[in-house]
mmCIF file of all heavy atoms in Angstrom:
data_model
loop_
_atom_site.group_PDB
_atom_site.id
_atom_site.type_symbol
_atom_site.label_atom_id
_atom_site.label_comp_id
_atom_site.label_asym_id
_atom_site.label_seq_id
_atom_site.Cartn_x
_atom_site.Cartn_y
_atom_site.Cartn_z
ATOM 1 N N ILE O 249 -3.438 -50.007 28.732
ATOM 2 C CA ILE O 249 -3.037 -51.343 29.151
ATOM 3 C C ILE O 249 -3.911 -51.842 30.282
ATOM 4 O O ILE O 249 -4.210 -51.125 31.230
ATOM 5 C CB ILE O 249 -1.555 -51.369 29.572
ATOM 6 C CG1 ILE O 249 -1.129 -52.770 30.064
ATOM 7 C CG2 ILE O 249 -1.243 -50.323 30.629
ATOM 8 C CD1 ILE O 249 0.347 -52.921 30.366
ATOM 9 N N VAL O 250 -4.347 -53.096 30.162
ATOM 10 C CA VAL O 250 -4.984 -53.797 31.281
ATOM 11 C C VAL O 250 -3.913 -54.601 31.997
ATOM 12 O O VAL O 250 -3.124 -55.313 31.342
ATOM 13 C CB VAL O 250 -6.103 -54.742 30.787
ATOM 14 C CG1 VAL O 250 -6.529 -55.700 31.889
ATOM 15 C CG2 VAL O 250 -7.299 -53.941 30.299
ATOM 16 N N THR O 251 -3.823 -54.487 33.306
ATOM 17 C CA THR O 251 -2.842 -55.255 34.072
ATOM 18 C C THR O 251 -3.395 -55.658 35.429
ATOM 19 O O THR O 251 -4.121 -54.881 36.041
ATOM 20 C CB THR O 251 -1.530 -54.448 34.231
ATOM 21 O OG1 THR O 251 -0.592 -55.236 34.978
ATOM 22 C CG2 THR O 251 -1.761 -53.116 34.929
ATOM 23 N N HIS O 252 -3.034 -56.864 35.851
ATOM 24 C CA HIS O 252 -3.308 -57.304 37.219
ATOM 25 C C HIS O 252 -2.147 -56.954 38.140
ATOM 26 O O HIS O 252 -2.263 -57.113 39.349
ATOM 27 C CB HIS O 252 -3.542 -58.817 37.252
ATOM 28 C CG HIS O 252 -4.935 -59.228 36.927
ATOM 29 N ND1 HIS O 252 -5.998 -59.002 37.758
ATOM 30 C CD2 HIS O 252 -5.465 -59.842 35.828
ATOM 31 C CE1 HIS O 252 -7.110 -59.462 37.210
ATOM 32 N NE2 HIS O 252 -6.812 -59.969 36.036
ATOM 33 N N ASN O 253 -1.046 -56.499 37.554
ATOM 34 C CA ASN O 253 0.172 -56.208 38.297
ATOM 35 C C ASN O 253 0.183 -54.733 38.692
ATOM 36 O O ASN O 253 0.455 -53.855 37.871
ATOM 37 C CB ASN O 253 1.395 -56.556 37.431
ATOM 38 C CG ASN O 253 2.693 -56.431 38.191
ATOM 39 O OD1 ASN O 253 2.835 -55.606 39.085
ATOM 40 N ND2 ASN O 253 3.660 -57.243 37.815
ATOM 41 N N MET O 254 -0.138 -54.438 39.945
ATOM 42 C CA MET O 254 -0.200 -53.046 40.365
ATOM 43 C C MET O 254 1.151 -52.362 40.321
ATOM 44 O O MET O 254 1.248 -51.164 40.033
ATOM 45 C CB MET O 254 -0.809 -52.954 41.764
ATOM 46 C CG MET O 254 -2.305 -53.235 41.796
ATOM 47 S SD MET O 254 -3.046 -52.922 43.404
ATOM 48 C CE MET O 254 -2.424 -54.327 44.321
ATOM 49 N N GLN O 255 2.223 -53.108 40.581
ATOM 50 C CA GLN O 255 3.553 -52.528 40.466
ATOM 51 C C GLN O 255 3.841 -52.118 39.026
ATOM 52 O O GLN O 255 4.469 -51.083 38.786
ATOM 53 C CB GLN O 255 4.616 -53.522 40.959
ATOM 54 C CG GLN O 255 4.614 -53.748 42.467
ATOM 55 C CD GLN O 255 3.440 -54.585 42.949
ATOM 56 O OE1 GLN O 255 2.934 -55.443 42.208
ATOM 57 N NE2 GLN O 255 2.983 -54.341 44.161
ATOM 58 N N GLN O 256 3.357 -52.922 38.076
ATOM 59 C CA GLN O 256 3.538 -52.548 36.672
ATOM 60 C C GLN O 256 2.791 -51.263 36.356
ATOM 61 O O GLN O 256 3.318 -50.386 35.666
ATOM 62 C CB GLN O 256 3.027 -53.674 35.772
ATOM 63 C CG GLN O 256 3.196 -53.372 34.281
ATOM 64 C CD GLN O 256 2.815 -54.567 33.431
ATOM 65 O OE1 GLN O 256 1.641 -54.907 33.336
ATOM 66 N NE2 GLN O 256 3.805 -55.204 32.849
ATOM 67 N N ALA O 257 1.587 -51.120 36.868
ATOM 68 C CA ALA O 257 0.814 -49.901 36.642
ATOM 69 C C ALA O 257 1.578 -48.690 37.168
ATOM 70 O O ALA O 257 1.622 -47.648 36.509
ATOM 71 C CB ALA O 257 -0.561 -50.006 37.317
ATOM 72 N N THR O 258 2.194 -48.812 38.338
ATOM 73 C CA THR O 258 2.933 -47.666 38.894
ATOM 74 C C THR O 258 4.183 -47.371 38.085
ATOM 75 O O THR O 258 4.590 -46.229 37.973
ATOM 76 C CB THR O 258 3.327 -47.906 40.361
ATOM 77 O OG1 THR O 258 4.210 -49.031 40.457
ATOM 78 C CG2 THR O 258 2.116 -48.164 41.216
ATOM 79 N N ARG O 259 4.782 -48.425 37.480
ATOM 80 C CA ARG O 259 6.015 -48.220 36.724
ATOM 81 C C ARG O 259 5.776 -47.586 35.366
ATOM 82 O O ARG O 259 6.589 -46.773 34.911
ATOM 83 C CB ARG O 259 6.741 -49.565 36.516
ATOM 84 C CG ARG O 259 7.394 -50.134 37.771
ATOM 85 C CD ARG O 259 8.321 -51.275 37.441
ATOM 86 N NE ARG O 259 7.639 -52.393 36.817
ATOM 87 C CZ ARG O 259 7.206 -53.478 37.471
ATOM 88 N NH1 ARG O 259 7.368 -53.552 38.786
ATOM 89 N NH2 ARG O 259 6.630 -54.472 36.815
ATOM 90 N N VAL O 260 4.688 -47.962 34.700
ATOM 91 C CA VAL O 260 4.564 -47.584 33.296
ATOM 92 C C VAL O 260 3.509 -46.508 33.000
ATOM 93 O O VAL O 260 3.614 -45.821 31.996
ATOM 94 C CB VAL O 260 4.280 -48.813 32.391
ATOM 95 C CG1 VAL O 260 5.323 -49.870 32.575
ATOM 96 C CG2 VAL O 260 2.877 -49.359 32.648
ATOM 97 N N SER O 261 2.499 -46.355 33.871
ATOM 98 C CA SER O 261 1.340 -45.556 33.442
ATOM 99 C C SER O 261 1.398 -44.122 33.955
ATOM 100 O O SER O 261 1.948 -43.826 35.017
ATOM 101 C CB SER O 261 0.030 -46.219 33.909
ATOM 102 O OG SER O 261 -0.083 -46.167 35.315
ATOM 103 N N ASP O 262 0.755 -43.254 33.169
ATOM 104 C CA ASP O 262 0.564 -41.864 33.569
ATOM 105 C C ASP O 262 -0.737 -41.696 34.354
ATOM 106 O O ASP O 262 -0.807 -40.871 35.277
ATOM 107 C CB ASP O 262 0.515 -40.974 32.323
ATOM 108 C CG ASP O 262 1.786 -41.051 31.515
ATOM 109 O OD1 ASP O 262 2.806 -40.507 31.955
ATOM 110 O OD2 ASP O 262 1.770 -41.690 30.434
ATOM 111 N N ARG O 263 -1.755 -42.458 33.977
ATOM 112 C CA ARG O 263 -3.060 -42.423 34.638
ATOM 113 C C ARG O 263 -3.528 -43.855 34.882
ATOM 114 O O ARG O 263 -3.174 -44.766 34.129
ATOM 115 C CB ARG O 263 -4.097 -41.653 33.812
ATOM 116 C CG ARG O 263 -3.694 -40.222 33.472
ATOM 117 C CD ARG O 263 -4.714 -39.554 32.558
ATOM 118 N NE ARG O 263 -4.166 -38.332 31.999
ATOM 119 C CZ ARG O 263 -4.442 -37.104 32.423
ATOM 120 N NH1 ARG O 263 -5.274 -36.934 33.435
ATOM 121 N NH2 ARG O 263 -3.889 -36.052 31.849
#
Side-chain angles (χ1 to χ4, degrees):
I249 178 174
V250 167
T251 180
H252 276 289
N253 187 329
M254 288 187 287
Q255 289 74 30
Q256 181 175 70
T258 62
R259 288 192 298 264
V260 305
S261 68
D262 300 287
R263 303 176 194 259

